[in-house]
């Protein structure tokens, strides 16, 4: 990607505020020589920041008639406005060794046994990973094939196969999960309901209805159906 920057002569808080009021963004480019203060068109930069490649690939910056290869290192946004306040770039060359986060692009999960056969859900836990490599070997993204996922399986950082010359940074012994396979919530609820119904229908082990209670039940029912006898006084009157 290519963008145009202009040299910035005035510095300080007041100068930066006036620059922003004119639709520009103050910034700096450093590395491989003296740092230089720059300014960039705000609208063009704002839309470029929405593109994934602008954050994870080598950029071509045109400055004072020369084109330099740079990498986005940092930018600051207004707390509540959609406004870029400041931006930092780093010059790079073929010998520059980088450590930067690269996005992960997942694919093939719709063809995996977990999705096609078991109707599982595939959760993308991580969206990027930190890598270390030479500037010339920096990938725009790393593709992760999920076509072999099975029910109950998880993928970790150690399962990523990086491009040649690229090393995944794991920060010691940490090996976090990047993809997790789970059962659908509806199916889990149906299974729990069926288990509860089966448990309620089955009698408790080792218990049986008491004989006395079983014998008394028919007699009580027969007595309830029999008509009540008339009182003795009523018989005498007749």
């Amino acid at each position: 990607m290519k963008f145009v920057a202009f040299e910035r002569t005035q510095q300080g808080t007041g100068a930066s505020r006036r620059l922003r009021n004119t639709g520009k963004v103050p910034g700096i480019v450093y590395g491989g020589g003296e740092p230089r203060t720059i300014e960039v068109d705000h609208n063009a930069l704002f839309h470029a920041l929405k593109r994934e490649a602008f954050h994870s690939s080598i950029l071509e910056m045109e400055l004072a008639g020369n084109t330099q290869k740079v990498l986005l290192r940092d930018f600051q946004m207004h707390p509540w406005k959609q406004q870029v306040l400041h931006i930092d770039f780093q010059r790079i060359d073929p010998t520059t060794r980088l450590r930067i986060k690269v996005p992960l692009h997942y694919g093939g999960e719709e063809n995996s046994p977990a999705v096609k056969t078991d109707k599982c859900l595939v959760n993308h836990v991580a969206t990027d990973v930190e890598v270390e490599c030479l500037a010339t070997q920096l990938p725009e993204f790393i593709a992760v094939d999920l076509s072999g996922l099975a029910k109950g399986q998880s993928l970790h950082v150690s399962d990523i196969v990086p491009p040649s010359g690229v090393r995944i940074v794991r920060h010691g012994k940490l090996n976090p999960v990047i993809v997790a396979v789970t059962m659908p919530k509806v199916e889990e609820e149906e299974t729990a309901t069926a288990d509860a119904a089966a448990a309620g229908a089955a009698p408790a082990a080792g218990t049986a209805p008491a004989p006395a209670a079983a014998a008394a039940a028919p007699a009580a029912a027969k007595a309830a159906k029999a008509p009540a006898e008339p009182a003795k006084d009523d018989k005498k009157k007749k």
Side-chain angles (χ1 to χ4, degrees), residues 109-149:
E109 63 186 69
E110 65 278 2
N111 298 320
S112 65
V115 175
K116 292 186 67 175
T117 306
D118 299 313
K119 310 301 181 184
C120 296
L121 300 177
V122 178
N123 299 319
H124 301 166
V125 180
T127 57
D128 54 39
V129 67
E130 189 173 2
V131 302
E132 183 179 354
C133 62
L134 292 173
T136 55
Q137 298 172 323
L138 178 64
E140 184 176 330
F141 61 87
I142 295 179
V144 181
D145 183 19
L146 303 181
S147 60
L149 281 179

Side-chain angles (χ1 to χ4, degrees), residues 198-209:
T207 61

Side-chain angles (χ1 to χ4, degrees), residues 74-86:
D74 193 18
F75 66 96
Q76 299 173 10
M77 297 293 297
H78 193 278
W80 65 87
K81 296 180 183 179
Q82 291 188 339
Q83 181 183 13
V84 187
L85 299 180
H86 195 274

Side-chain angles (χ1 to χ4, degrees), residues 227-238:
E229 293 185 1
K232 292 182 179 181
D233 294 340
D234 293 341
K235 290 182 178 179
K236 290 180 179 179
K237 287 181 181 180
K238 291 180 179 181

Side-chain angles (χ1 to χ4, degrees), residues 169-212:
V169 179
R170 288 180 50 184
H171 300 285
K173 296 183 179 179
L174 297 179
N175 191 23
V177 174
I178 60 171
V179 175
V181 179
T182 59
M183 293 294 294
K185 190 174 182 181
V186 175
E187 185 173 337
E188 291 178 355
E189 291 176 353
E190 290 177 353
T191 303
T193 304
D195 293 343
T207 61

